[in-house]
Coordinates of all heavy atoms in Angstrom, one line a residue:
Q1391 N 108.4 98.4 107.7 CA 107.0 98.2 107.5 C 106.2 99.4 108.1 O 106.7 100.3 108.7 CB 106.5 96.9 108.1 CG 107.3 95.7 107.6 CD 107.2 95.6 106.1 OE1 106.2 95.8 105.5 NE2 108.3 95.1 105.5
T1392 N 104.9 99.4 107.8 CA 104.0 100.6 108.2 C 102.7 100.1 108.8 O 102.2 99.0 108.5 CB 103.7 101.5 107.0 OG1 103.2 100.6 105.9 CG2 104.9 102.2 106.4
I1393 N 102.1 101.0 109.6 CA 100.7 100.9 110.0 C 100.0 101.8 109.0 O 100.4 103.0 108.8 CB 100.5 101.3 111.5 CG1 99.0 101.3 111.9 CG2 101.1 102.6 111.8 CD1 98.7 101.5 113.4
S1394 N 98.9 101.3 108.4 CA 98.2 102.1 107.4 C 97.5 103.3 108.0 O 97.2 103.4 109.2 CB 97.2 101.2 106.7 OG 97.8 100.1 106.1
Q1395 N 97.2 104.3 107.1 CA 96.5 105.5 107.4 C 95.1 105.1 107.9 O 94.5 104.1 107.4 CB 96.3 106.3 106.1 CG 95.5 107.5 106.1 CD 95.1 108.0 104.7 OE1 95.2 107.2 103.8 NE2 94.8 109.2 104.6
I1398 N 92.3 104.3 105.2 CA 92.4 103.1 104.4 C 91.9 101.9 105.2 O 91.3 100.9 104.7 CB 93.8 103.0 103.8 CG1 93.8 102.0 102.6 CG2 94.8 102.6 104.8 CD1 93.6 102.6 101.3
I1399 N 92.2 101.9 106.5 CA 91.8 100.8 107.4 C 90.2 100.8 107.4 O 89.6 99.7 107.3 CB 92.3 101.1 108.9 CG1 93.8 101.1 108.9 CG2 91.7 100.0 109.8 CD1 94.5 99.9 109.2
E1401 N 88.2 102.0 105.1 CA 87.7 101.7 103.8 C 87.7 100.2 103.5 O 86.8 99.6 103.0 CB 88.5 102.5 102.7 CG 88.0 102.3 101.3 CD 88.8 103.0 100.3 OE1 90.0 103.2 100.5 OE2 88.2 103.4 99.2
M1402 N 88.9 99.6 103.9 CA 89.0 98.1 103.6 C 88.0 97.4 104.5 O 87.5 96.4 104.1 CB 90.5 97.7 103.9 CG 91.4 98.3 102.8 SD 93.2 97.9 103.1 CE 93.4 96.3 102.4
T1403 N 87.9 97.8 105.8 CA 87.0 97.1 106.7 C 85.6 97.2 106.2 O 84.8 96.2 106.2 CB 87.1 97.8 108.1 OG1 88.5 97.7 108.5 CG2 86.3 97.0 109.1
A1405 N 84.5 97.6 103.2 CA 84.4 96.9 101.9 C 84.1 95.4 102.2 O 83.5 94.7 101.3 CB 85.6 97.0 101.0
L1406 N 84.5 94.9 103.3 CA 84.3 93.5 103.6 C 82.9 93.1 104.1 O 82.6 91.9 104.2 CB 85.4 93.0 104.7 CG 86.8 93.0 104.3 CD1 87.7 92.7 105.4 CD2 87.1 92.0 103.1
L1415 N 90.4 86.2 107.5 CA 91.8 85.9 107.4 C 92.5 87.3 107.0 O 92.0 87.9 106.1 CB 92.1 84.9 106.4 CG 93.6 84.6 106.0 CD1 94.3 84.1 107.2 CD2 93.7 83.7 104.8
E1416 N 93.5 87.7 107.8 CA 94.3 88.8 107.4 C 95.7 88.4 107.0 O 96.3 87.6 107.8 CB 94.4 89.8 108.6 CG 95.2 91.0 108.2 CD 95.7 91.9 109.3 OE1 95.9 91.4 110.4 OE2 95.8 93.1 109.1
I1417 N 96.2 88.9 105.9 CA 97.6 88.7 105.5 C 98.4 89.9 105.8 O 98.1 91.0 105.2 CB 97.7 88.3 104.0 CG1 96.7 87.2 103.6 CG2 99.2 87.9 103.7 CD1 96.8 85.9 104.4
G1418 N 99.4 89.9 106.7 CA 100.2 91.0 107.0 C 99.8 91.6 108.3 O 99.2 92.7 108.4
T1419 N 100.1 90.9 109.4 CA 99.7 91.4 110.8 C 100.2 92.8 111.1 O 99.6 93.6 111.7 CB 100.1 90.4 111.9 OG1 99.9 89.1 111.4 CG2 99.5 90.7 113.2
Q1424 N 95.0 96.7 112.3 CA 93.8 96.3 111.5 C 93.2 95.0 112.0 O 91.9 94.9 112.1 CB 94.3 96.0 110.0 CG 93.3 95.4 109.1 CD 92.3 96.4 108.6 OE1 92.5 97.2 107.7 NE2 91.1 96.2 109.1
G1467 N 101.9 84.4 104.1 CA 100.4 84.5 104.0 C 99.9 84.3 102.6 O 98.7 84.1 102.4
T1468 N 100.8 84.4 101.6 CA 100.3 84.2 100.2 C 99.8 82.8 100.0 O 99.1 82.6 99.0 CB 101.4 84.6 99.1 OG1 102.4 83.6 99.1 CG2 101.9 86.0 99.3
I1480 N 88.6 87.9 103.5 CA 90.1 87.9 103.5 C 90.5 89.3 103.2 O 90.0 90.0 102.3 CB 90.7 86.9 102.5 CG1 90.2 85.5 102.8 CG2 92.2 87.0 102.5 CD1 90.7 84.4 101.8
I1481 N 91.5 89.8 104.0 CA 92.1 91.1 103.8 C 93.6 91.0 103.7 O 94.2 90.4 104.5 CB 91.6 92.1 104.9 CG1 92.2 93.5 104.8 CG2 91.9 91.5 106.3 CD1 91.6 94.5 105.7
V1482 N 94.1 91.5 102.6 CA 95.5 91.5 102.4 C 96.1 92.9 102.6 O 95.6 93.8 101.8 CB 95.9 90.9 101.0 CG1 97.4 90.8 100.8 CG2 95.2 89.6 100.7
T1483 N 97.0 93.1 103.5 CA 97.4 94.5 103.8 C 98.8 94.8 103.3 O 99.5 95.5 103.9 CB 97.3 94.7 105.3 OG1 98.2 93.9 106.0 CG2 95.9 94.5 105.9
A1484 N 99.1 94.1 102.2 CA 100.4 94.4 101.5 C 100.1 94.2 100.0 O 99.1 93.5 99.7 CB 101.5 93.5 101.9
G1485 N 100.8 94.9 99.1 CA 100.4 94.9 97.7 C 101.2 93.9 96.9 O 102.4 93.6 97.0
G1486 N 100.4 93.3 95.9 CA 101.0 92.3 95.0 C 100.5 92.6 93.6 O 99.6 93.4 93.3
E1487 N 101.2 91.9 92.6 CA 100.8 92.0 91.2 C 99.5 91.4 90.9 O 98.8 91.8 90.0 CB 101.9 91.4 90.3 CG 103.1 92.3 90.2 CD 104.1 91.7 89.3 OE1 104.7 90.7 89.6 OE2 104.4 92.3 88.2
N1488 N 99.2 90.3 91.6 CA 97.9 89.6 91.4 C 97.4 89.1 92.8 O 98.2 89.0 93.7 CB 98.2 88.3 90.6 CG 98.8 88.6 89.3 OD1 100.0 88.4 89.1 ND2 98.1 89.1 88.3
I1489 N 96.1 88.7 92.8 CA 95.6 88.1 94.0 C 96.1 86.7 94.1 O 95.8 85.9 93.1 CB 94.1 88.2 94.0 CG1 93.6 89.7 94.0 CG2 93.5 87.5 95.3 CD1 92.1 89.8 93.9
P1490 N 96.8 86.2 95.1 CA 97.3 84.9 95.2 C 96.1 83.9 95.0 O 95.1 84.0 95.7 CB 97.9 84.8 96.6 CG 98.3 86.2 96.9 CD 97.2 87.0 96.3
L1493 N 94.4 82.2 98.1 CA 93.5 83.0 98.9 C 92.1 83.0 98.2 O 91.1 82.9 98.9 CB 94.0 84.4 99.0 CG 95.4 84.6 99.6 CD1 95.7 86.1 99.8 CD2 95.4 83.9 101.0
I1494 N 92.1 83.0 96.9 CA 90.8 82.9 96.2 C 90.1 81.6 96.5 O 88.9 81.4 96.8 CB 90.9 83.1 94.7 CG1 91.5 84.5 94.4 CG2 89.6 83.0 94.0 CD1 91.9 84.8 93.0
R1502 N 84.1 87.8 100.7 CA 84.7 89.0 100.1 C 86.2 89.1 100.4 O 86.6 88.7 101.5 CB 84.0 90.2 100.8 CG 82.5 90.4 100.5 CD 81.7 89.5 101.4 NE 81.8 89.8 102.8 CZ 81.5 88.9 103.7 NH1 81.0 87.7 103.4 NH2 81.6 89.2 105.0
L1503 N 87.0 89.6 99.5 CA 88.4 89.7 99.7 C 88.8 91.1 99.2 O 88.4 91.5 98.1 CB 89.1 88.6 98.8 CG 90.7 88.5 98.9 CD1 91.1 87.1 98.5 CD2 91.3 89.5 97.9
V1504 N 89.6 91.8 100.0 CA 90.2 93.1 99.6 C 91.7 93.0 99.6 O 92.3 92.4 100.5 CB 89.8 94.3 100.4 CG1 88.4 94.8 100.1 CG2 89.9 94.1 101.9
M1505 N 92.3 93.6 98.6 CA 93.8 93.6 98.4 C 94.2 94.7 97.5 O 93.6 94.9 96.5 CB 94.2 92.2 97.9 CG 95.6 92.1 97.5 SD 96.2 90.5 97.0 CE 97.8 91.0 96.3
P1506 N 95.4 95.3 97.9 CA 96.0 96.3 96.9 C 96.7 95.5 95.8 O 97.6 94.6 96.1 CB 97.0 97.0 97.8 CG 96.9 96.5 99.2 CD 96.1 95.2 99.1
V1507 N 96.3 95.7 94.6 CA 96.9 95.0 93.4 C 97.5 96.0 92.4 O 96.9 97.0 92.1 CB 95.8 94.2 92.7 CG1 96.4 93.4 91.5 CG2 95.2 93.2 93.7
G1508 N 98.7 95.7 92.0 CA 99.4 96.6 91.0 C 100.9 96.5 91.1 O 101.4 95.4 91.3
G1509 N 101.6 97.6 90.9 CA 103.0 97.6 90.9 C 103.6 97.7 92.3 O 102.9 97.7 93.3
A1510 N 105.0 97.8 92.3 CA 105.7 97.8 93.6 C 105.4 99.1 94.4 O 105.4 99.1 95.6 CB 107.1 97.6 93.4
M1511 N 105.2 100.2 93.7 CA 105.0 101.5 94.4 C 103.6 101.9 94.6 O 103.2 102.6 95.5 CB 105.8 102.6 93.6 CG 107.3 102.4 93.5 SD 108.0 102.3 95.2 CE 107.8 104.0 95.6
I1512 N 102.7 101.6 93.6 CA 101.4 102.1 93.7 C 100.4 101.0 93.2 O 100.7 100.3 92.3 CB 101.2 103.4 92.8 CG1 99.9 104.1 93.1 CG2 101.5 103.3 91.4 CD1 100.1 105.6 93.3
Q1513 N 99.3 100.9 93.8 CA 98.3 99.9 93.5 C 96.9 100.4 93.5 O 96.6 101.5 93.8 CB 98.4 98.7 94.5 CG 99.8 98.2 94.8 CD 100.5 98.9 96.0 OE1 99.8 99.5 96.8 NE2 101.8 98.9 96.0
E1514 N 96.0 99.5 93.1 CA 94.5 99.8 93.2 C 94.0 98.8 94.2 O 94.4 97.7 94.3 CB 93.9 99.4 91.8 CG 93.3 100.5 91.1 CD 92.7 100.0 89.8 OE1 93.4 99.5 88.9 OE2 91.5 100.1 89.7
L1515 N 93.1 99.4 95.0 CA 92.4 98.5 96.0 C 91.3 97.7 95.4 O 90.4 98.3 94.8 CB 91.9 99.4 97.1 CG 91.6 98.7 98.5 CD1 92.8 98.0 99.0 CD2 91.1 99.8 99.5
I1516 N 91.5 96.4 95.3 CA 90.6 95.5 94.6 C 89.7 94.8 95.6 O 90.1 94.3 96.6 CB 91.3 94.5 93.7 CG1 92.2 95.2 92.7 CG2 90.4 93.5 93.1 CD1 91.3 96.0 91.6
L1517 N 88.4 94.8 95.3 CA 87.4 94.0 96.0 C 87.0 92.8 95.1 O 86.5 93.0 94.0 CB 86.2 94.8 96.4 CG 85.0 94.0 97.0 CD1 85.3 93.4 98.3 CD2 83.7 94.9 97.1
L1518 N 87.2 91.6 95.6 CA 86.8 90.4 94.9 C 85.6 89.7 95.7 O 85.7 89.6 96.9 CB 88.0 89.4 94.8 CG 87.8 88.1 94.1 CD1 89.0 87.6 93.3 CD2 87.4 87.0 95.1
V1527 N 85.0 91.2 90.3 CA 86.1 92.1 90.8 C 85.8 93.5 90.6 O 85.3 93.9 89.5 CB 87.4 91.7 90.1 CG1 88.5 92.7 90.4 CG2 87.9 90.3 90.5
S1528 N 86.0 94.4 91.6 CA 85.8 95.8 91.3 C 86.9 96.6 92.0 O 87.6 96.1 92.9 CB 84.4 96.3 91.9 OG 84.3 95.9 93.2
S1529 N 87.1 97.9 91.6 CA 88.1 98.7 92.1 C 87.6 99.7 93.1 O 86.6 100.4 92.8 CB 88.9 99.4 91.0 OG 89.8 100.4 91.5
L1530 N 88.3 99.9 94.2 CA 87.8 100.9 95.2 C 88.7 102.2 95.1 O 88.6 103.1 95.9 CB 87.9 100.3 96.6 CG 87.2 99.0 96.8 CD1 87.4 98.5 98.2 CD2 85.7 99.3 96.7
G1531 N 89.7 102.2 94.1 CA 90.5 103.4 94.0 C 92.0 103.1 94.2 O 92.4 102.0 94.6
G1532 N 92.8 104.1 94.1 CA 94.2 104.0 94.2 C 94.7 103.9 95.6 O 94.0 104.3 96.6
C1533 N 95.9 103.2 95.8 CA 96.4 103.1 97.2 C 97.9 102.9 97.1 O 98.4 102.6 96.0 CB 95.7 102.1 98.0 SG 95.9 100.4 97.3
R1534 N 98.6 102.9 98.2 CA 100.0 102.7 98.2 C 100.4 101.8 99.4 O 100.2 102.3 100.6 CB 100.8 104.0 98.3 CG 102.3 103.9 98.2 CD 102.9 105.2 98.4 NE 102.6 106.0 97.2 CZ 103.6 106.5 96.4 NH1 104.8 106.3 96.6 NH2 103.3 107.2 95.3
F1535 N 100.8 100.6 99.2 CA 101.1 99.7 100.3 C 102.5 99.1 100.1 O 103.1 99.1 99.0 CB 100.2 98.5 100.3 CG 98.9 98.7 101.0 CD1 97.9 99.5 100.5 CD2 98.7 98.2 102.3 CE1 96.7 99.7 101.2 CE2 97.6 98.4 103.0 CZ 96.5 99.2 102.5
V1536 N 103.1 98.6 101.2 CA 104.4 97.9 101.1 C 104.2 96.6 100.4 O 103.0 96.2 100.2 CB 105.0 97.6 102.5 CG1 105.4 98.9 103.2 CG2 104.0 96.8 103.4
K1537 N 105.3 96.0 99.9 CA 105.2 94.8 99.1 C 104.7 93.5 99.9 O 105.2 93.2 101.0 CB 106.5 94.4 98.5 CG 106.9 95.3 97.4 CD 108.3 94.7 96.9 CE 108.9 95.6 95.8 NZ 110.2 95.1 95.5
L1538 N 103.8 92.8 99.2 CA 103.5 91.4 99.7 C 104.6 90.5 99.1 O 104.7 90.3 97.9 CB 102.1 91.0 99.1 CG 101.6 89.6 99.4 CD1 101.2 89.6 100.9 CD2 100.4 89.2 98.5
I1539 N 105.3 89.9 100.0 CA 106.5 89.1 99.6 C 106.2 87.6 100.0 O 105.8 87.3 101.1 CB 107.8 89.6 100.4 CG1 108.1 91.0 100.0 CG2 108.9 88.7 100.1 CD1 109.2 91.7 100.8
H1542 N 103.5 83.5 96.3 CA 102.6 84.0 95.3 C 102.5 85.5 95.3 O 101.5 86.1 95.1 CB 101.2 83.4 95.6 CG 101.1 81.9 95.6 ND1 101.0 81.2 94.4 CD2 101.3 81.0 96.6 CE1 101.0 79.9 94.7 NE2 101.2 79.8 96.0
G1543 N 103.7 86.1 95.7 CA 103.8 87.6 95.7 C 105.1 88.0 95.1 O 105.6 87.3 94.3
W1544 N 105.6 89.1 95.6 CA 107.0 89.6 95.1 C 108.1 88.7 95.7 O 107.9 88.2 96.8 CB 107.2 91.1 95.5 CG 106.2 92.0 94.9 CD1 105.1 92.6 95.5 CD2 106.3 92.6 93.6 NE1 104.5 93.4 94.6 CE2 105.2 93.5 93.5 CE3 107.3 92.5 92.6 CZ2 105.0 94.3 92.3 CZ3 107.0 93.3 91.4 CH2 105.9 94.2 91.3

Side-chain angles (χ1 to χ4, degrees):
Q1391 304 302 324
T1392 51
I1393 176 174
S1394 302
Q1395 176 195 23
I1398 197 96
I1399 300 268
E1401 186 182 29
M1402 291 174 88
T1403 305
L1406 291 175
L1415 174 66
E1416 180 194 31
I1417 312 305
T1419 315
Q1424 173 76 75
T1468 68
I1480 299 179
I1481 178 168
V1482 186
T1483 65
E1487 286 182 292
N1488 306 103
I1489 300 175
L1493 300 184
I1494 300 174
R1502 297 81 58 203
L1503 180 155
V1504 279
M1505 172 175 164
V1507 179
M1511 295 302 290
I1512 190 134
Q1513 308 92 24
E1514 246 182 294
L1515 196 56
I1516 296 296
L1517 171 67
L1518 177 147
V1527 170
S1528 52
S1529 171
L1530 304 174
C1533 60
R1534 182 182 291 243
F1535 274 79
V1536 294
K1537 282 184 186 172
L1538 179 71
I1539 297 171
H1542 301 276
W1544 296 97

